[in-house]
Amino acid sequence: MTSRREVLKATGALMGATVLTGALSGAWTASAAPRGAERPGALPSYLPEGLYNRRQRWLRSASAGLFLHWGMRTFPGYTDAASWEDAITGGGWDPNYWVDEARKLHASYLVLASFHSRLGYSRAWPSKIPGSASTKRDFLGELIAAAKAKGLHVILYMTDDPQWHAEGGHEQLDSAAYSAYKGKQVDLTTRPGFGEYSFDNFVEIMNNYPDLSGFWIDNDNEYWEQNGLYALIRQRRPSWLLSNNNEDTPIMDTVSNEQKVGMVPAYDYPAAVWTPMPRLTEACYKLPSKGQWWFDGSDSTVDHGLNVGRFITNAGSSIKSLMAETAQVNGRFPANQEAFNNFLASYLPAIRESIDDTVGGGYMYGGLQPGAWNDGAYGVVTISKRDPFLQYVHVTTPPTTGILTIRDNGYKIVRVTELRSGKRLPFEQKDGRVTISGIAAWDPYDTVLRVHTAAREGLYPQRQITSTASAAADGFPATGLTDGSFVTWWDSGEALPVTVTLDLGRRLPVSFLAINQREWSPTYNRETFGRKEDSARIKDYEVYVSDDGNEWGAPILTGVLESARGVRFVDLDVPRTRYVRLAVNTTWAAATVPAFYQKLGIDEVRVGWRSPVGHDHVD
C-alpha cells in the first residue's frame, strides 16, 4: 500500500499539471472584495484535479450526508433476495422517508451501502450480472428519483473485499453462476475474482443510473487498478464523485475518515482527522452509541451532545458530516434515531446561516483561532463565503464564567451579537485577543456568536518575507511557508532539529508568529488507548533574532507549542529585527508511531508587528 507521505507528495506533484480557473462555489471574488481585504472564503484558483473540480461544487457546499447501511443481513437477516425484497415491500418501504429524514439532518446527499461485504453483497436493484443477491424492484432507482425531486444527491457504496462471503454461515457469492456468465472460471471469493465481478457492476450501474452522483468506495482492489476502473468512470461519468474510505488517493474527490473516538472533548472529531485542506473531506460516524453500522435489532441511544458537537466541529474544520443511521428492513429508523432527526430539524434552523455557505476558520481560510479557549471553553469558528468580514464563533463547551476570550489572529473586531437572540454583546480587544462578555446563558450544545470584523491588521504581507530552512524535502521548499498558498507547503524532510528563518527585508518590530502547521496527522494523545501521541507538530522550540543573519546570540524565547489543530501563536516582543529564526527541536509524535515520528510540515507562517485594539461597550 502506498504510504501517506508518498500520496501527499504525489498530490503535490499534480499541482503543475492542472490549472483551473474556477473558484469555490459561493466564495466571494476579487471583484467583490473591498480594497486591501484578504479573502478568507475563497479557494486558490489553481488546484489539481483531485483537490478541486467542478463536479465537487455541490459537495463542497454541503454540510452533511446520511449513510445507509441496509442489505440482506439487516436484522432479522435473509439468505435469498426474494425473501428480502418481500420483507422490504411488505413493510411499506418508501424512498421519500429516507430523503425527508436526510433533510432533517441538514444532509445534502445519501450514501446507500447494500453492496457491502458484511451485509451480503446485496444489490438493491435489478442486475443482469449473476454472482450475488439482486432485487427485481429497483430500490436504488426509486431512491435516486426521490432524492433528485427534492434537490438531494445519491452516492452508491461499493466494496473491494470478498473476505466476508460466508458471513453468518451462508455463502453470499455465487462463483459458478458468474463463471457461466463470463464463460470462464472465476472465484469470487478471491480478490482478483471479486475485483472482476465488482468491476462489471460498476459498469452496469454507470450505464443504468445517469442521475447517480458517484461512488463511495471502501478501499481499493488490484483488479480495478490494473484495468483502469477510475479512468473509465471519469470518461463515462465525468460529473460523478469518487470517494475513498481511509486512504488519500489523488484521483479520488473525497477522503472519508471513519469513526474516530477518544478525543477530548469527545465530540472534537476533527482532532483525529488526518486529511489537510483544501482536500474535500468527510467524517464518517454512527449516530447510535452502540451496535453495528446496520440495524442489528437494537434501538441504541443517540447522544445529542456528542452528535451535535461533531456536526458543528466538523463544519468548523470544512469537513462534511456523513452520519450513519441504521435503517430497518422497511427503511424506517429505530425510535431513538428518528427522535434525534426530529430534534436536529428543530435545532439547526436558528443557527443555519453559521453553517451554510461557510468554511472552517483558523486554517487556510483565515479566521479567529478555534479550539481550547479560556476557563474550559472549547469551540470552532466558521467564516461566511459570501461576506469575508463575517465570522461565527461556535461555543460547543462554554466557559465556567460568562466571559469568552479568543485569539483574534489579526482581525479587527467591529461588532459581536448572539446569533439566536440578536443581542449585541460588549467586547474588548487588545494584546492579540478579544474578550466578549454579557452572555447571560449558554446553549447546552452550541452558543453561536456573530462576529463582524474589519480587514486584518498588523501582519506583514507575505510577499515581503523571504523564508529559508536548514532542511527541506524535495519538492517542498521553505518558500512554501510564505507564498500565501495552502496548496504548497514546507516539509522538513524528517530532519530534526530544524530551523526556519524569516527575512523581513529590513529591521522591523515583531510581535508574534502565527503558524499553520500541515493538518496531516491526528492531534490528540491516545496514550490511554494503548497508542502513543501521533501529532506531527512542533513541540519544543526556540526563537532567535538577528539584525544581519549571521550573529544570533541566545534564544529570546524557549517554549512548548501545544499539540492542536488550527493556527498557533508564538508571542514575541521584539522592538526591531530583520531576521527571525524558529528552531524546532522536537515534535509531539512518538517513536512508536513511525508514520509521524520526527516529521514536520508547515503550510504558512505569518509575522505580526502589532495587534488590533478596540472595544464595544453596550449598555
Side-chain angles (χ1 to χ4, degrees):
M1 181 179 292
T2 304
S3 72
R4 189 171 301 154
R5 180 167 291 270
E6 291 170 336
V7 168
L8 287 171
K9 288 188 176 182
T11 305
L14 287 171
M15 291 170 194
T18 305
V19 179
L20 300 174
T21 58
L24 176 62
S25 177
W28 62 282
T29 61
S31 62
R35 182 173 297 176
E38 297 186 10
R39 294 182 294 165
L43 269 176
S45 60
Y46 56 97
L47 289 177
E49 167 114 355
L51 292 183
Y52 178 73
N53 188 282
R54 291 182 183 276
R55 64 177 168 267
Q56 299 172 4
R57 283 185 172 181
W58 70 264
L59 186 52
R60 286 197 179 275
S61 297
S63 300
L66 174 58
F67 208 171
L68 298 159
H69 291 74
W70 180 75
M72 285 249 297
R73 298 199 66 247
T74 295
F75 181 85
Y78 301 88
T79 57
D80 66 277
S83 298
W84 178 47
E85 181 174 342
D86 288 345
I88 297 169
T89 301
W93 181 87
D94 181 351
N96 289 290
Y97 171 80
W98 280 350
V99 175
D100 292 340
E101 293 299 298
R103 294 174 72 187
K104 292 177 183 178
L105 293 169
H106 204 54
S108 299
Y109 63 109
L110 303 95
V111 179
L112 179 63
S114 68
F115 192 72
H116 182 286
S117 55
R118 298 191 65 189
L119 280 169
Y121 308 92
S122 44
R123 295 167 294 173
W125 60 89
S127 175
K128 295 181 179 179
I129 305 168
S132 66
S134 173
T135 60
K136 293 181 179 179
R137 182 178 171 183
D138 192 356
F139 298 102
L140 173 61
E142 291 182 40
L143 178 60
I144 293 171
K148 182 179 179 181
K150 296 181 180 180
L152 275 68
H153 296 259
V154 175
I155 296 175
L156 186 63
Y157 175 105
M158 297 291 281
T159 185
D160 75 313
D161 188 2
Q163 69 170 311
W164 304 99
H165 61 93
E167 178 82 343
H170 174 76
E171 179 58 62
Q172 307 286 349
L173 299 176
D174 190 342
S175 296
Y178 183 67
S179 296
Y181 170 77
K182 296 290 285 189
K184 62 178 182 179
Q185 286 300 118
V186 182
D187 185 353
L188 299 187
T189 66
T190 66
R191 289 193 62 83
F194 186 80
E196 183 173 358
Y197 170 62
S198 52
F199 188 106
D200 288 349
N201 276 272
F202 275 106
V203 173
E204 184 180 55
I205 290 161
M206 283 192 288
N207 291 339
N208 293 345
Y209 298 98
D211 288 334
L212 191 69
S213 291
F215 292 114
W216 201 99
I217 300 170
D218 202 345
N219 297 310
D220 212 341
N221 186 282
E222 298 84 347
Y223 184 93
W224 302 347
E225 295 174 338
Q226 294 163 4
N227 290 273
L229 173 63
Y230 304 132
L232 181 64
I233 295 171
R234 288 283 179 253
Q235 176 189 352
R236 293 196 180 182
R237 296 296 180 193
S239 65
W240 286 15
L241 287 165
L242 289 175
S243 181
N244 192 272
N245 188 24
N246 293 325
E247 289 185 10
D248 192 351
T249 307
I251 197 172
M252 297 291 176
D253 294 293
T254 313
V255 183
S256 199
N257 289 251
E258 185 178 42
Q259 192 71 27
K260 309 301 182 184
V261 296
M263 291 72 70
V264 178
Y267 59 73
D268 186 25
Y269 197 105
V273 170
W274 44 261
T275 313
M277 296 178 189
R279 204 65 160 108
L280 185 51
T281 306
E282 287 176 331
C284 174
Y285 56 92
K286 294 190 289 98
L287 290 184
S289 300
K290 296 180 180 179
Q292 299 285 2
W293 285 78
W294 54 90
F295 181 64
D296 58 10
S298 63
D299 183 12
S300 176
T301 58
V302 177
D303 186 327
H304 287 205
L306 174 65
N307 285 293
V308 172
R310 283 172 166 175
F311 189 101
I312 298 301
T313 53
N314 287 335
S317 300
S318 295
I319 296 171
K320 313 307 173 186
S321 291
L322 181 55
M323 297 170 277
E325 297 204 71
T326 61
Q328 301 171 81
V329 177
N330 64 1
R332 297 194 69 88
F333 299 122
N336 285 325
Q337 293 169 55
E338 197 171 72
F340 177 78
N341 297 349
N342 292 332
F343 160 74
L344 211 60
S346 64
Y347 182 82
L348 289 178
I351 61 171
R352 190 163 186 163
E353 72 171 72
S354 69
I355 300 167
D356 288 349
D357 291 321
T358 63
V359 291
Y363 303 92
M364 69 174 283
Y365 304 105
L368 306 174
Q369 185 188 46
W373 297 320
N374 63 295
D375 300 316
Y378 201 91
V380 294
V381 175
T382 55
I383 308 173
S384 170
K385 295 178 188 175
R386 302 182 184 279
D387 181 354
F389 301 117
L390 178 57
Q391 302 187 37
Y392 300 90
V393 174
H394 298 262
V395 186
T396 44
T397 295
T400 54
T401 65
I403 296 173
L404 185 70
T405 300
I406 307 175
R407 288 295 303 236
D408 59 35
N409 202 13
Y411 289 91
K412 172 76 173 178
I413 309 303
V414 176
R415 185 171 66 257
V416 180
T417 57
E418 283 186 307
L419 179 58
R420 288 184 176 87
S421 67
K423 177 186 176 184
R424 191 160 174 169
L425 300 174
F427 69 83
E428 183 175 13
Q429 186 175 13
K430 63 180 181 177
D431 299 328
R433 294 166 174 82
V434 57
T435 298
I436 304 166
S437 57
I439 304 168
W442 299 99
D443 184 86
Y445 307 120
D446 182 23
T447 301
V448 186
L449 307 182
R450 206 171 191 259
V451 180
H452 293 264
T453 73
R456 298 174 85 173
E457 297 180 0
L459 293 169
Y460 293 117
Q462 294 294 73
R463 63 181 179 274
Q464 173 183 324
I465 302 172
T466 302
S467 50
T468 57
S470 60
D474 291 344
F476 298 88
T479 53
L481 293 166
T482 53
D483 63 0
S485 169
F486 275 62
V487 182
T488 55
W489 65 93
W490 168 71
D491 187 306
S492 69
E494 303 182 26
L496 279 178
V498 66
T499 62
V500 168
T501 302
L502 305 171
D503 179 359
L504 305 182
R506 57 191 175 92
R507 294 181 72 244
L508 293 167
V510 176
S511 177
F512 62 88
L513 302 179
I515 305 171
N516 277 102
Q517 299 178 80
R518 191 75 182 152
E519 303 290 354
W520 72 285
S521 67
T523 57
Y524 69 103
N525 194 325
R526 294 193 267 190
E527 183 91 38
T528 56
F529 296 88
R531 178 171 173 173
K532 298 286 187 179
E533 177 71 69
D534 282 347
S535 174
R537 285 167 175 78
I538 298 168
K539 187 179 182 183
D540 296 291
Y541 69 88
E542 297 169 339
V543 179
Y544 299 80
V545 296
S546 172
D547 288 336
D548 60 9
N550 295 314
E551 299 296 327
W552 292 92
I556 64 167
L557 180 67
T558 298
V560 176
L561 203 64
E562 63 269 42
S563 175
R565 286 169 58 88
V567 60
R568 300 290 112 189
F569 295 91
V570 175
D571 288 311
L572 306 169
D573 185 14
V574 181
R576 285 189 181 275
T577 188
R578 174 168 176 175
Y579 297 91
V580 179
R581 174 169 288 174
L582 175 67
V584 180
N585 297 321
T586 63
T587 57
W588 283 96
T592 51
V593 190
F596 304 113
Y597 180 58
Q598 291 192 321
K599 297 174 183 177
L600 176 65
I602 300 179
D603 277 304
E604 180 183 61
V605 177
R606 301 297 301 266
V607 181
W609 61 278
R610 70 171 176 84
S611 298
V613 176
H615 67 272
D616 187 2
H617 294 304
V618 179
D619 293 333

